[in-house]
Amino acid sequence: MARSRPRPHRFDVYLAVGGLLGGLVFWSLGLYTSGSGLVSMTWGLIPLTVMAGLELLRRTRPQVALVVGTLALVADQFTPGNAATILMFTDLAYAAVLYGTPAAARRIPVTTGLVTLATTLGFLIWWREPQALLIGVATGLVSFGPAATGALVRNHRDAAEAARLRAEQTALLAEVDRSQAVTAERARMARELHDMVANHLSAIAIHSTAALSLDDPDTSKQALGVIRENSVEGLAEMRRLIGILRDSSGDTEAVAAPTLDGLGTLVDQARANGLDVDLDSTHTALPAPVELAAYRIVQECLTNALKHASPGRVTVTLAQRDHSLDVRVTSPYGGARDDGPRAPGSGAGLVGMRERVALLHGTFEAGPVGDPASADGKTWTVRATLPITEGETE
């Protein structure tokens, strides 16, 4: 199937018709550019018609139109001359630079400039009179002037297009950054929500199951007390988080992040929930991100021990090295226990701990360790190494 040729632009059609009609008016009135020629003005209608037809190609075939238009302009010089033919040629020179290839846009102004200079020097040498300069000026106005104007317009157009593309790229990058920031913030909120509430809900689930399964008033009363305490604390944590999320004015007072000084209280709560916990913590002042990460890791490990660990002692050890803080939490691991209720887990706790450590460029390990046949039995060990930037602990 033959490919259809592009149709001329409507504006180009107007230029062609207007140029042709204007040239015919000049011809009918006897208005010539030189008043003399080797042939009669009737022959000048041929270059005029050709030039008008080339105006239809000024956008689609600009270089072809300029070459043929140059020949038509030379032919017009052998007639008395028509101003419309010359004006249409200037438009072809302008369009060839504006709509042509980048190489043509660079080459045409240089070529027309050299032609103008050569014409001026040639007539000066031939005539040896200052009036020869007028020929050079006329040549420059017809050829170099339109080409230079086209180059300026094209440069401005290319600069505007480049600026538009840069603006689009900037907007796209900003949208990508915004999406990444939203994703990171959602992940951070999910970690905080899980760490704040999971411990309380796990205790509530376990003790409520115990209260329902045991027909002992004293045990049920004790379980309900633990449930109430964890419910109140969990609701307080939820209210603080929801208040921060709902406030858009920025006037809400910042909530202090938990520190390692609160580990004692955290361990006491775990003991109240039924865990046998041993805490060994030796450290000095640490950067706030490190303290928060260590606190949340211990909190999540105690929650997991409450939900999944077999009966036995849970040990929490924090030891500060030269440039890092080691956090180690061990709990009995020997399969499902049958002496009490358990709470289901989703696995989000390990993911959250690993993400916290990764944000600080530390290392994280979690899994069963030891021999089930040994005296201590097999344990589930969580170990995190949190780097401490030198100088931040002073």
Side-chain angles (χ1 to χ4, degrees):
M1 182 178 179
R3 185 175 58 180
S4 60
R5 295 182 179 180
R7 298 181 59 182
H9 194 274
R10 180 181 299 179
F11 180 73
D12 298 343
V13 176
Y14 293 158
L15 284 179
V17 174
L20 181 60
L21 293 179
L24 292 176
V25 171
F26 292 153
W27 174 76
S28 62
L29 297 177
L31 300 177
Y32 310 134
T33 56
S34 63
S36 62
L38 299 178
V39 296
S40 65
M41 184 56 193
T42 304
W43 289 95
L45 295 177
I46 297 177
L48 174 65
T49 305
V50 171
M51 202 72 74
L54 294 174
E55 287 282 21
L56 301 176
L57 304 177
R58 62 191 298 273
R59 296 174 193 263
T60 57
R61 299 289 188 271
Q63 294 171 251
V64 174
L66 180 61
V67 172
V68 179
T70 301
L71 298 177
L73 181 65
V74 172
D76 187 65
Q77 303 309 307
F78 292 95
T79 70
N82 194 310
T85 303
I86 298 175
L87 290 176
M88 285 189 287
F89 175 81
T90 61
D91 179 68
L92 293 179
Y94 167 82
V97 176
L98 183 61
Y99 302 115
T101 62
R106 293 189 299 268
R107 185 172 60 250
I108 293 174
V110 175
T111 303
T112 55
L114 293 176
V115 170
T116 300
L117 180 61
T119 302
T120 304
L121 293 178
F123 275 94
L124 278 174
I125 295 173
W126 183 21
W127 288 359
R128 298 182 183 275
E129 293 183 3
Q131 285 81 359
L133 294 175
L134 297 177
I135 302 297
V137 172
T139 304
L141 290 175
V142 172
S143 60
F144 177 72
T149 303
L152 290 175
V153 173
R154 180 174 183 136
N155 289 337
H156 284 294
R157 186 190 66 179
D158 292 345
E161 180 66 15
R164 185 187 65 81
L165 292 176
R166 285 195 299 269
E168 290 181 354
Q169 292 174 352
T170 302
L172 180 60
L173 291 176
E175 179 63 21
V176 171
D177 291 341
R178 188 195 66 80
S179 299
Q180 292 177 348
V182 170
T183 302
E185 183 63 15
R186 291 178 63 181
R188 187 189 68 82
M189 290 169 55
R191 287 194 301 269
E192 291 297 324
L193 182 62
H194 178 274
D195 292 341
M196 287 192 303
V197 180
N199 182 45
H200 300 300
L201 294 182
S202 297
I204 291 172
I206 291 174
H207 285 84
S208 62
T209 303
L212 292 173
S213 60
L214 298 177
D215 189 14
D216 185 353
D218 293 336
T219 303
S220 298
K221 184 176 181 180
Q222 182 181 3
L224 290 175
V226 175
I227 290 173
R228 183 185 184 282
E229 181 181 354
N230 281 276
S231 299
V232 172
E233 293 180 0
L235 285 173
E237 296 281 2
M238 286 292 293
R239 289 192 184 101
R240 283 198 295 269
L241 181 59
I242 293 174
I244 294 174
L245 295 178
R246 283 185 172 178
D247 181 67
S248 59
S249 62
D251 298 333
T252 302
E253 183 179 354
V255 179
T259 64
L260 294 182
D261 294 336
L263 283 182
T265 303
L266 187 64
V267 170
D268 291 339
Q269 292 176 353
R271 288 169 180 162
N273 290 331
L275 284 179
D276 180 11
V277 185
D278 183 18
L279 174 63
D280 181 12
S281 177
T282 56
H283 61 85
T284 59
L286 297 170
V290 176
E291 289 207 31
L292 176 61
Y295 181 92
R296 293 303 190 194
I297 289 173
V298 173
Q299 183 183 43
E300 179 60 29
C301 288
L302 294 178
T303 301
N304 289 341
L306 180 64
K307 294 191 294 184
H308 307 298
S310 299
R313 173 163 294 184
V314 178
T315 61
V316 179
T317 305
L318 279 77
Q320 184 174 348
R321 311 299 181 190
D322 292 338
H323 301 291
S324 64
L325 176 68
D326 284 346
V327 180
R328 182 190 294 268
V329 181
T330 61
S331 58
Y333 178 81
R337 62 185 183 185
D338 300 326
D339 62 335
R342 304 173 66 89
S346 63
L350 290 176
V351 174
M353 288 190 288
R354 185 172 286 106
E355 289 177 349
R356 288 185 183 277
V357 175
L359 289 174
L360 296 176
H361 305 287
T363 59
F364 178 82
E365 298 176 358
V369 177
D371 185 359
S374 64
D376 296 334
K378 201 171 186 180
T379 61
W380 179 273
T381 301
V382 174
R383 180 179 179 182
T385 302
L386 307 176
I388 302 173
T389 304
E390 186 176 0
E392 288 187 352
T393 60
E394 298 179 0

